[in-house]
Amino acid sequence: MSTSSSLLCQIEAGIAWITLNRPDQRNALDIPGLRQLHGLLERCQDDPAVRVVVLGGSGRSFCAGADLAEWAEAEARGALESYGWTETAHALMSCLHSLDKPTIAAINGTAVGAGMDLALCCDLRVAGQSARFKAGYTGMAYSPDAGASWHLPRLIGSEQAKRLLFLDELWSAERALAAGLVGEVCADEQLHATVGELAGRLANGPTFAFAQTKRLLRESAERDLPAQLAAELAAGLLCGRSTDGAEALRAATEKRPPRFIGR
């Protein structure tokens, strides 16, 4: 799988380790980087060797959000509203959020603005103790533009979301854990190992069933209970007919651990 110097990817044991690699810019997202990451995620979606995607950042930051130097250049030429950063970011966030395969954000250092939103689009979030979270939008006299206004109320509730967005507070990893913004905090030096253990459990699991579960959860807010029950029935039939479904039943009757292949 091809990568560039600003975006690294290594596939090991079914896990795609994707690393934002612009440490001097604190892994800020410019338009080329957004497009490269989007394309890489689409290739991960189509690659049967990839069963889990882990997203991290090099250096001391997870991601500082939008590349403000690129924004300033666009403003200088009178193209801030038309040069396409927001639309490109939205396409990336939609791709990450809708990926069939489980996704984990391994958050080291700061996650600001669209960088925080990138983590929010992942299914699971593990933070090192040095991680810090900041919306960054109202501090720049701006409103959320990469999904924070959708994810935050669902993850941490309306009041906490407003506090983080209105007051532009800098939240520690422990504060984020207490609020429900992340699911786990570990020592910085244990971040890779902790995420690797979690990703390994997912990679060895029934990833076809995970994909159906992700879709059910993602679409549940759009349905009433009868419609959701009907969707669960349809997804359950697909899972029951899958190779993993047959393997799970055989393993249960043979009293052995199942060996899932994701189909």
Side-chain angles (χ1 to χ4, degrees):
M1 187 172 289
S2 62
T3 57
S4 69
S5 60
S6 62
L7 186 65
L8 308 177
C9 181
Q10 185 173 3
I11 301 174
E12 297 176 344
I15 306 166
W17 295 86
I18 298 176
T19 305
L20 304 176
N21 191 41
R22 302 179 73 206
D24 292 344
Q25 292 80 29
R26 298 180 1 192
N27 301 317
L29 299 167
D30 59 5
I31 286 183
L34 290 168
R35 288 175 175 158
Q36 289 166 11
L37 180 53
H38 189 168
L40 182 54
L41 289 173
E42 289 182 330
R43 292 194 292 277
C44 286
Q45 172 83 324
D46 295 335
D47 188 346
V50 175
R51 294 168 64 81
V52 179
V53 173
V54 175
L55 185 60
S58 62
R60 295 186 297 174
S61 291
F62 174 74
C63 179
D67 188 327
L68 295 183
E70 188 183 55
W71 277 53
E73 181 184 349
E75 184 176 35
R77 64 176 190 270
L80 185 59
E81 293 186 10
S82 61
Y83 86 111
W85 187 94
T86 302
E87 293 80 2
T88 309
H90 286 183
L92 166 62
M93 299 298 176
S94 295
C95 176
L96 179 56
H97 177 64
S98 62
L99 211 68
D100 282 342
K101 299 173 183 184
T103 56
I104 306 172
I107 306 160
N108 57 299
T110 52
V112 178
M116 182 183 73
D117 297 339
L118 201 61
L120 297 180
C121 281
C122 292
D123 298 314
L124 304 173
R125 284 160 293 282
V126 180
Q129 285 181 331
S130 69
R132 298 291 182 268
F133 300 85
K134 185 179 176 68
Y137 293 106
T138 57
M140 295 292 293
Y142 201 69
S143 57
D145 68 353
S149 63
W150 193 91
H151 287 291
L152 285 174
R154 288 164 170 78
L155 284 170
I156 63 177
S158 179
E159 183 164 345
Q160 288 297 317
K162 290 174 182 176
R163 185 176 189 93
L164 185 57
L165 292 170
F166 288 177
L167 302 179
D168 203 17
E169 294 177 332
L170 181 67
W171 282 12
S172 68
E174 294 297 339
R175 174 74 181 275
L177 178 65
L181 191 64
V182 301
E184 186 174 358
V185 173
C186 63
D188 289 343
E189 61 272 18
Q190 292 298 316
L191 181 59
H192 187 275
T194 299
V195 171
E197 191 275 334
L198 178 59
R201 289 170 58 191
L202 293 169
N204 290 325
T207 50
F208 181 84
F210 292 161
Q212 301 306 314
T213 303
K214 285 186 65 167
R215 289 174 182 170
L216 286 169
L217 292 171
R218 197 165 55 236
E219 297 168 4
S220 63
E222 302 170 5
R223 303 188 183 108
D224 59 16
L225 180 58
Q228 185 69 5
L229 291 173
E232 288 184 348
L233 176 60
L237 289 172
L238 291 175
C239 290
R241 296 167 185 161
S242 70
T243 302
D244 281 352
E247 165 62 9
L249 185 58
R250 282 195 303 270
T253 58
E254 296 170 7
K255 297 182 172 20
R256 62 170 174 80
R259 296 182 291 272
F260 296 123
I261 62 172
R263 295 197 298 272

